[in-house]
Amino acid sequence: MTLLPPAELRKVTEQPAFPTFSVRLTRLVNRFQPSPETVVLFLAVLIGGGTGMGVVTFHYLIELIHRLMLENFMGAIAHRGAWTLACVPTLGGLIVGLMRWRTQDFGPGLSTLIASQGTEVTRQLRPVTKMLAASVSLGSGASLGPEGPSVEVGANLGMLMSKVMQVSQERQRLLLGAGAAAGLAAGFNAPIAGVFFALEVVLGATSFASSAVSVVLLAAVVAGLVAQIGLGTQPAFDLPVYQVISPLELPLYLGLGLGASLVSLTYTQSISLAKACFAGKVPGFEFLGRIPQPVHPIIGGAIVGTVALKFPQILGIGYGTVEAMLQDVKFSLSLLVVLLIVKLVMTAISAGSGLVGGVFAPAMFLGASFGSAYAKILALLTPGIAAQMAAPPAYAMVGMAAILAASVRAPLTSILLLFELTRDYRIVLPLMAAVGLSFWLVERMKPTFNSNSKLQQIGLAELKDEKVEILSSILVEDAMLSSPKKLLATMKVFEAALEMTRDRASSALVVDEKERLVGILSLENINRALSVSEYPNSQGEMQAQISNLSLMEICTREIVYAYWDELLSEALDRMSVRGLRQLPVVARDNHERILGLLQKEQIALTCNLAVTRKAIHHYLPVIQKTGLAIRQ
């Protein structure tokens, strides 16, 4: 029995992207008959070179717009008074608003591209449009950074090349990571940090394979080389030499990491809150949701410009102010605290209003101001240890990495980025202490939920974004095996092995005479017990030892449980953290009472069935309306 949708629903309307260029490039590559690995490396070179040139162009555009806005335009209106400074960010917001009105969408961001790995990107790629909008935003003074758009230029180019060459899903992820690495390498002139950013954030921990590293390395090196040719070899910051005063100073950096976790959490939550306010989803700010979206950047620019009349340091990328803090220019404690708060709020408003830019540079601004303020507060509260402390710039440098790591959830990238910028090995120990603690605390306070990676663990990575929430709506009882295989704890290993191979079972629950759960057994446990290498004695002694083994001696007795009435996603969290493939399902009030067994294969089947049911319900109105017949 087959169920066919109407003919108009079965028409293929999607045309291949970039058909002419795609065909020509594919023919050119196929003419030489290269291996798949060679093709990916060739594409990595193209992505690295293209990203490097894109980032160089992006930086020149920011400088050009900055001169036009703050020199030419301000020079023409400055005679009317100091208040005219507020007109510059407002004008930038007006231009970005007009671009939003014209294009409606600047294309997917990096998080969307990462989430769509293995699926189709439903939004059109607009790397040039987004780069122009970011140039206008940053050049006119929006409180954002250039690194985010730089990474997105590379990620968009990687996705574009994967579409043109129609590569597999796995290689699409790899090229996306190569583009992101190239963008960060060119933006910061830090290729090593770019590589680790791609492996840590874009590809995930499971992609630290030699093939992935080589492709990402090649793209980052080419992009870094092009950026050095176009922008010079100097790093993004001119950092001072790190001072080591005393090894006893290390606990002070742990305190810095603790404070950095709170600042970074406030920072990320403020951005989310600002976006919700401009969307009209926060009580008291519903009126903003009724204002057309293209007007939001004008409002954001006007607010930033007005605040800049009192605190001009918050305008734009802020690298000049950061370098002043790092060179120990005398900032008062009160000014550092005020700049920390004002920069955080203005960055949230800039991002929430629709101005285009990244969060890397503001995070470093916050880290430098917080680190300097932290050192000054310690010197005031405990004058006795001031002589054993490094100068405030040392704490500012470590604070930059600590807040950046906790904000973007990339500790290795942050450590290596600052190490590349300072090129001083002595900073690594305090860096690791502060960054590690800051990242760990933020993960405890606000754990990340990566639905896409969770679906990949059970073989459902092909689901599109709108179907990801299915995993969070299913209970354990919907996916568990209600009659799992049970074996007595006194059963011998040989008997259990024969029974499990006969029943084709991958795992079983070990119970006592009253069917109370005492352990869980897998084929791996049995294979390990039957392994000859475990018994170096003679063959007769080996067989005697194995024949006397009971399941109680080889099963796993430290059991992690699942409960029948909890969400499937919560149980899957516990499985993925510990690398488990099955969990016994027990009663909440009695962990010895077995209700079922939860297995990854059964979870995948349950989720696939839920997707199919949702699709059927989607077509039911069409079927009823058209009177579609069921064919036998």
Side-chain angles (χ1 to χ4, degrees):
M1 182 174 67
T2 58
L3 190 64
L4 298 178
E8 62 268 23
L9 295 179
R10 289 185 271 126
K11 291 180 181 178
V12 179
T13 57
E14 184 181 359
Q15 298 297 324
F18 320 103
T20 304
F21 179 65
S22 174
V23 170
R24 289 179 179 176
L25 185 59
T26 304
R27 286 176 179 173
L28 176 63
V29 172
N30 289 341
R31 183 178 301 174
F32 297 97
Q33 295 295 320
S35 66
E37 291 75 16
T38 304
V39 172
V40 172
L41 290 175
F42 171 69
L43 293 178
V45 173
L46 292 182
I47 292 169
T51 301
M53 289 186 285
V55 171
V56 170
T57 305
F58 177 47
H59 279 263
Y60 279 123
L61 279 174
I62 294 175
E63 291 181 8
L64 174 63
I65 294 171
H66 183 77
R67 286 199 303 269
L68 290 175
M69 291 283 195
L70 289 176
E71 294 179 13
N72 299 357
F73 179 66
M74 273 297 297
I77 65 172
H79 64 279
R80 297 180 179 272
W83 63 269
T84 54
L85 177 63
C87 297
V88 176
T90 306
L91 178 59
L94 174 62
I95 297 172
V96 173
L98 290 174
M99 294 179 69
R100 284 198 178 276
W101 173 75
R102 177 67 180 83
T103 63
Q104 299 298 320
D105 185 13
F106 289 153
L110 180 62
S111 59
T112 303
L113 291 173
I114 294 173
S116 65
Q117 293 174 16
T119 68
E120 282 295 319
V121 179
T122 55
R123 295 164 62 188
Q124 185 177 355
L125 297 173
R126 300 178 185 271
V128 176
T129 305
K130 179 171 283 191
M131 185 174 70
L132 291 174
S135 302
V136 173
S137 299
L138 299 174
S140 61
S143 181
L144 295 166
E147 290 76 25
S150 298
V151 170
E152 289 184 355
V153 166
N156 275 271
L157 183 57
M159 184 64 71
L160 193 64
M161 294 303 298
S162 67
K163 283 179 169 293
V164 167
M165 296 301 297
Q166 299 178 358
V167 299
S168 65
Q169 294 177 358
E170 181 183 355
R171 290 193 171 95
Q172 177 178 307
R173 295 178 61 245
L174 193 52
L175 294 178
L176 174 64
L184 190 67
F188 269 117
N189 193 11
I192 299 177
V195 170
F196 272 82
F197 176 77
L199 296 176
E200 186 177 28
V201 176
V202 181
L203 298 177
T206 57
S207 297
F208 276 80
S210 57
S211 57
V213 173
S214 60
V215 173
V216 172
L217 271 173
L218 187 57
V221 167
V222 173
L225 179 62
V226 173
Q228 287 185 7
I229 294 173
L231 301 175
T233 58
Q234 71 278 5
F237 296 103
D238 184 16
L239 300 182
V241 176
Y242 177 72
Q243 296 177 337
V244 179
I245 304 299
S246 170
L248 300 177
E249 196 180 4
L250 187 60
L252 302 180
Y253 288 104
L254 292 176
L256 177 63
L258 172 61
S261 66
L262 300 176
V263 173
S264 61
L265 191 60
T266 305
Y267 175 48
T268 53
Q269 292 300 104
S270 298
I271 293 175
S272 300
L273 179 62
K275 291 180 178 179
C277 287
F278 277 96
K281 298 178 181 178
V282 176
F285 293 90
E286 293 88 352
F287 69 96
L288 288 175
R290 295 190 289 271
I291 298 175
Q293 193 176 16
V295 180
H296 290 174
I298 305 175
I299 299 173
I303 295 174
V304 171
T306 303
V307 174
L309 296 176
K310 180 67 175 175
F311 301 102
Q313 298 94 335
I314 59 96
L315 276 177
I317 302 171
Y319 281 173
T321 305
V322 172
E323 286 206 12
M325 295 177 187
L326 296 174
Q327 299 301 330
D328 208 11
V329 174
K330 298 303 178 183
F331 283 83
S332 66
L333 177 59
S334 58
L335 179 60
L336 288 172
V337 174
V338 170
L339 286 180
L340 173 67
I341 297 172
V342 173
K343 182 69 173 180
L344 188 150
V345 175
M346 289 302 102
T347 301
I349 291 175
S350 297
S353 65
L355 295 168
V356 184
V359 297
F360 271 53
M364 290 187 156
F365 187 106
L366 298 177
S369 55
F370 174 73
S372 298
Y374 175 80
K376 290 179 180 291
I377 291 173
L378 283 180
L380 285 176
L381 295 179
T382 54
I385 66 170
Q388 303 297 320
M389 289 175 53
Y395 289 85
M397 286 189 288
V398 176
M400 287 166 60
I403 290 183
L404 179 62
S407 300
V408 301
R409 307 295 176 98
L412 292 178
T413 302
S414 303
I415 291 172
L416 287 168
L417 177 60
L418 203 72
F419 175 63
E420 277 194 278
L421 295 177
T422 60
R423 297 168 188 175
D424 190 342
Y425 187 76
R426 295 174 296 176
I427 199 175
V428 170
L429 194 59
L431 258 183
M432 293 174 66
V435 167
L437 182 60
S438 175
F439 174 74
W440 182 81
L441 288 172
V442 170
E443 279 290 308
R444 299 285 78 75
M445 292 184 285
K446 193 73 175 178
T448 54
F449 176 75
N450 191 336
S451 300
N452 194 62
S453 64
K454 189 172 292 184
L455 288 168
Q456 286 176 352
Q457 294 167 11
I458 58 173
L460 292 176
E462 71 276 5
L463 294 183
K464 293 188 177 181
D465 295 343
E466 64 270 16
K467 300 177 182 177
V468 167
E469 71 275 4
I470 289 177
L471 184 66
S472 300
S473 62
I474 302 175
L475 296 178
V476 167
E477 65 173 334
D478 299 323
M480 72 180 187
L481 293 171
S482 56
S483 300
K485 186 169 187 59
K486 302 174 186 176
L487 298 174
L488 282 173
T490 55
M491 180 180 285
K492 302 304 180 184
V493 173
F494 273 134
E495 299 175 52
L498 292 172
E499 188 166 337
M500 291 184 72
T501 53
R502 183 193 64 208
D503 295 341
R504 302 179 64 83
S506 60
S507 61
L509 301 180
V510 181
V511 297
D512 60 13
E513 292 79 4
K514 296 183 180 180
E515 289 212 350
R516 293 177 300 193
L517 180 65
V518 295
I520 187 167
L521 181 74
S522 67
L523 287 177
E524 288 77 10
N525 296 133
I526 292 180
N527 292 336
R528 194 179 302 115
L530 297 179
S531 175
V532 177
S533 60
E534 297 290 330
Y535 302 93
N537 302 323
S538 65
Q539 186 174 1
E541 293 178 357
M542 178 192 74
Q543 291 178 350
Q545 291 181 33
I546 296 177
S547 62
N548 291 326
L549 277 178
S550 66
L551 296 188
M552 195 64 181
E553 297 177 73
I554 68 167
C555 70
T556 302
R557 283 180 281 180
E558 296 178 0
I559 307 172
V560 180
Y561 305 101
Y563 305 108
W564 68 277
D565 57 346
E566 71 174 328
L567 289 174
L568 189 59
S569 59
E570 296 177 3
L572 187 58
D573 271 335
R574 294 198 291 278
M575 295 172 73
S576 59
V577 167
R578 296 166 177 83
L580 304 175
R581 299 194 61 83
Q582 59 273 319
L583 287 181
V585 183
V586 298
R588 286 186 182 272
D589 57 347
N590 184 3
H591 290 179
E592 295 179 341
R593 181 186 165 203
I594 300 171
L595 299 178
L597 181 66
L598 188 64
Q599 295 179 310
K600 277 195 174 182
E601 295 78 6
Q602 196 68 19
I603 294 174
L605 175 60
T606 304
C607 291
N608 272 320
L609 290 173
V611 173
T612 304
R613 291 192 194 99
K614 186 175 181 179
I616 291 173
H617 285 295
H618 174 74
Y619 280 109
L620 278 178
V622 177
I623 295 170
Q624 294 170 354
K625 182 178 179 180
T626 58
L628 186 67
I630 297 178
R631 299 180 183 178
Q632 299 292 335

